[in-house]
Amino acid sequence: MHPDLAVTKAARLFKVLGSESRLRLLRRIREEPATVTALVEATSMSQPLVSQHLRMLREAELVRAVRHGRESVYELADLHVSHLIEDALEHVAEDVG
């Protein structure tokens, strides 16, 4: 991959990750794959907002939806991103301490 293209893709990734709500959803999904209903309950966000964030996360290929009957269960599509989020959280915790 051309270096400029890699930078462009990384910038898009960071833009998607630049939302507290999406970070919370990713952390929750990392703990356990979940339905939209479970994510609404876990985050106290509205169903339309959770669905909107999940759409963005799917488009960025960070989560995938797996059909189970009539419901979709969302799971991480890329564990690298999970590590990136946890590293960022550890980094900011060091600054606080």
Side-chain angles (χ1 to χ4, degrees):
M1 176 182 304
H2 191 276
D4 290 341
L5 180 57
V7 169
T8 299
K9 286 184 151 194
R12 284 189 207 135
L13 171 65
F14 282 115
K15 185 175 182 178
V16 171
L17 295 176
S19 160
E20 287 182 41
S21 297
R22 287 190 290 275
L23 288 175
R24 288 187 206 305
L25 287 169
L26 286 168
R27 290 188 80 206
R28 171 58 180 78
I29 292 168
R30 188 189 110 219
E31 292 171 10
E32 179 180 15
T35 63
V36 171
T37 302
L39 293 169
V40 166
E41 291 173 6
T43 62
S44 299
M45 287 187 269
S46 69
Q47 184 275 325
L49 186 56
V50 167
S51 293
Q52 178 183 356
H53 286 306
L54 289 171
R55 180 183 50 79
M56 292 181 77
L57 293 169
R58 279 193 323 269
E59 288 174 357
E61 299 179 350
L62 300 178
V63 299
R64 66 177 152 251
V66 178
R67 296 291 292 173
H68 289 275
R70 293 180 12 191
E71 291 188 305
S72 291
V73 175
Y74 288 86
E75 62 186 26
L76 289 183
D78 185 350
L79 292 179
H80 291 102
V81 173
S82 174
H83 297 298
L84 178 66
I85 293 167
E86 294 309 313
D87 286 347
L89 293 171
E90 286 179 26
H91 175 72
V92 297
E94 290 173 3
D95 289 345
V96 173

